[in-house]
Amino acid sequence: MNFFDELKRRNVFRVAGVYAVVGWLLAQAAALLESALSMPGWFDTVVVCFLLIGFPLALVFAWAFELTPEGVKPTVAVAPGESIAARTGRKLDYAILGGLALVAVVVLIDRLMPGRAAVAPEAASAVAAVDAASPGNTALPDEKSIAVLPFVDMSPDSDQGYFADGLSEELLNVLAKSRELKVAGRTSSFAFKGQNRDLREVGEILNVANVLEGSVRKAGDRIRVTAQLVKARDGYHIFSETYDRELSDVFAVQDDIAGKIGAALKTELIGTPSEEAAPSDFQAYDLYLLARQRIYSRDRDQLKEASDLLDRALALDPEYAPAYAQKSIVTMLLSDSAGTYGDIPYAEAVGISQKYIDKALAIDPDLAEAHAALGLQRLNGGARLEQIRAPLERALSINPNLTDAQHWLAIALLTDGQPKETRKIYEEVATRDPLFGPALNNLTFDYATTGDFDKAEALISRVERTRGGETADTTFARGQIAFNRGDLAEAVVKLGANPKPSNVHKILYVETLVLIGDLQTAYDLAAEEQKIVILCLMDRCEEALTAIEAWPSPSYGESSMLQSVFSVFALMGQYEAAAQYLTRNFGDLTKAAEAEPFNASLWLGPLGRAYKKLGRRRDLDETIAMFRDVLAREDDAGADGMYTWLAKAELAVLEGNDDLAIDCLKRTITKGWYGIYGFYQPTFDDLRDDPRFKALEAEMRVKANAARVKLGMKPL
């Protein structure tokens, strides 16, 4: 008998087969136990090592010993006639078949059962995203569409959530650079953090065909990353990979996962490999990820903390371009300009942010976030549209799904008088990232001011349904609807619900408080340009003038500021001061309206009032002509809200058409405008003795006092 036949007779091959099947099952069990029990990351590795060491020992044992009715004996001690090796072999065959069947069951469960997002130990409250009824979500998902869910933190102390989020986001950013892929936005994808949702449901809600999920375990300088790409329709696993690497290899892991996704979806991914952007110090990367998480909150305290974290990151790695870009963005977000969250003087913030932008682009000229930061800086500074648009479009050419850049571009287009383009961008963002707060709030306001209340309610309701109730964003959005519907009491409640409102949120809330007659609270919360008008309503106009004189010369024609300045001058009868303010700071009307032409309707009324009282017919005619042009653009955009009709009434007064002005004021009230102080705008001073005007203001005071009573306030 040759050696090969002897191996078969002694069942060595069968023992090898049984050992391989059982060993594979034990390795799978070890991996599951490690995740479920939060055991050390090396546990399953040790199990596999012991199994590998045991394999040759099992083969040696099978060769040297034989199982007999009397027990295990050395093979050489068993006479050929007494051997039961053939019977033992048949039992081993059955064991192999049973083991293979069990392997098949495990594989089928893994491949064919619907996937589920992993559950983090610190699972938060139920959160999801807008369902398939979102704007544009009317068709089946594109096969080249994907959502990257936040990877689950499986670290021993469950304290690396920000790192897991950062890894997920880096993958999302790499994929988003492909123009062929439709990538669900970060806000909506991350809304599933801590959820145990069936991935078919996730795919339906986000309207994507594929979902990437995974987990991260970080211990010291070692990481384990598990990633699975799943077809949302049936839960089929396209691929599943596990990486045990040094922390310094995290960027190579990101590229490998992204490459596999690209290959699986037959999509070419563009851009340089992510490891080329790796920081030299991985503690700096850690701080950067933590800072970026804070920036997303848009909370003032967390923004300040993010700024400090980025300083620490840059101290460790002075050549890390992404940290410079985020430092620039957080600096601008903490400025005191409109729509931001802090109190750093704008001029100071610009100088600081520009330094960081220059440094970021010097290191990496193709860094999308750095170009977006430049666009944000120019937007807040009132630059012309083409100056704002260039860096933002450059950022979007690098990363087509950079939501912040889309948001800032939409604002720039709106202030330039292109509301249709603005709505188009926000509806696109809402389709891809429906839980992105600025898109929700701005799109809701757009719908409300054009009378599309049903669309606004539907958008808010979808978010609330999937969020499990109201959020700060949906509460504010409902406040906007209440304000535009003329429900002042509800507007005060909703708009005042956020204890830490942004500057832009405060503006509308303050205006609501003024209308309801709560001037002191309004003054305490108001921005500087709002304070001066409130002072006049408090009969403290001299203080308002003192404040105006103390202000530095404006760097651009910010509409709400010009509205307040011209209103104060007109209310005090200082018409020449209004005219001189325009000439001294801007030269002419066109220059003043250059930065925000679409919002010029806010201040053309009180300025026109000054020209009319001064008898400066040429300037008045120029003002009226610009006013007509702005309102024509509003009509073209479908604007039909209270502000549009209020502006039309101001234009009618400047034109000397009192009858038309009264009709427009009636429409203004019908659209929801009313307040304790009536039509306090100085443009209407020539109408104050008109009985029709007095009747309208009386009607408004009755409504405003009813709202006060509803809020538990005394009538005025």
Side-chain angles (χ1 to χ4, degrees), residues 49-340:
C49 288
F50 275 120
L51 289 171
L52 291 174
I53 293 171
F55 183 67
L57 297 178
L59 298 184
V60 170
F61 189 90
W63 171 268
F65 296 92
E66 183 175 329
L67 186 65
T68 70
E70 290 80 25
V72 177
K73 293 182 178 181
T75 301
V76 296
V78 180
E82 299 176 356
S83 174
I84 60 170
R87 191 189 316 165
T88 303
R90 284 193 295 274
K91 292 180 179 179
L92 290 173
D93 288 341
Y94 295 143
I96 292 172
L97 291 173
L100 289 175
L102 188 55
V103 168
V105 170
V106 172
V107 171
L108 285 172
I109 290 175
D110 182 60
R111 293 285 180 177
L112 299 181
M113 289 293 286
R116 295 180 302 168
V119 184
E122 68 279 15
S125 60
V127 183
V130 173
D131 59 20
S134 297
N137 260 5
T138 56
L140 291 174
D142 191 307
E143 286 303 310
K144 292 185 179 182
S145 57
I146 185 171
V148 180
L149 299 187
F151 280 27
V152 178
D153 173 24
M154 301 299 292
S155 302
D157 295 328
S158 298
D159 60 348
Q160 297 294 315
Y162 70 93
F163 185 86
D165 287 355
L167 178 60
S168 310
E169 188 176 349
E170 289 297 319
L171 279 167
L172 189 152
N173 287 336
V174 171
L175 297 174
K177 292 179 180 179
S178 170
R179 293 191 176 277
E180 296 180 12
L181 275 181
K182 289 180 171 46
V183 185
R186 178 195 184 277
T187 310
S188 298
S189 295
F190 274 50
F192 290 92
K193 185 175 182 178
Q195 301 305 298
N196 189 23
R197 291 291 190 99
D198 187 312
L199 292 188
R200 290 175 296 186
E201 182 183 8
V202 173
E204 180 184 355
I205 290 173
L206 294 181
N207 198 36
V208 294
N210 307 281
V211 177
L212 181 72
E213 62 174 348
S215 63
V216 176
R217 179 188 296 271
K218 182 168 172 273
D221 292 331
R222 298 287 302 179
I223 57 167
R224 160 172 289 191
V225 179
T226 301
Q228 293 135 6
L229 182 64
V230 182
K231 274 197 173 297
R233 182 175 60 254
D234 54 16
Y236 177 76
H237 280 63
I238 300 172
F239 74 75
S240 179
E241 296 287 345
T242 299
Y243 304 85
D244 284 293
R245 302 283 181 89
E246 296 288 336
L247 180 59
S248 58
D249 291 333
V250 65
F251 292 96
V253 171
Q254 291 172 9
D255 285 337
D256 191 68
I257 295 172
K260 284 184 168 61
I261 292 172
L265 302 184
K266 296 181 176 60
T267 299
E268 181 181 357
L269 301 181
I270 61 177
T272 55
S274 62
E275 63 252 50
E276 291 183 11
S280 60
D281 187 304
F282 274 85
Q283 188 180 351
Y285 180 64
D286 224 31
L287 293 167
Y288 164 76
L289 292 180
L290 193 56
R292 199 165 60 183
Q293 186 183 60
R294 301 289 190 270
I295 292 172
Y296 279 121
S297 72
R298 292 302 198 262
D299 174 84
R300 180 179 303 184
D301 293 335
Q302 292 202 45
L303 287 170
K304 291 179 178 178
E305 185 180 346
S307 183
D308 293 338
L309 290 167
L310 290 168
D311 285 338
R312 290 166 56 191
L314 290 169
L316 292 170
D317 185 356
E319 297 298 312
Y320 191 37
Y324 283 111
Q326 292 299 323
K327 179 68 177 180
S328 174
I329 289 172
V330 77
T331 300
M332 292 309 304
L333 291 176
L334 283 171
S335 74
D336 62 357
S337 57
T340 55

Side-chain angles (χ1 to χ4, degrees), residues 33 46-47 175 315 418:
L33 286 172
V46 171
V47 171
L175 297 174
Q418 301 184 48

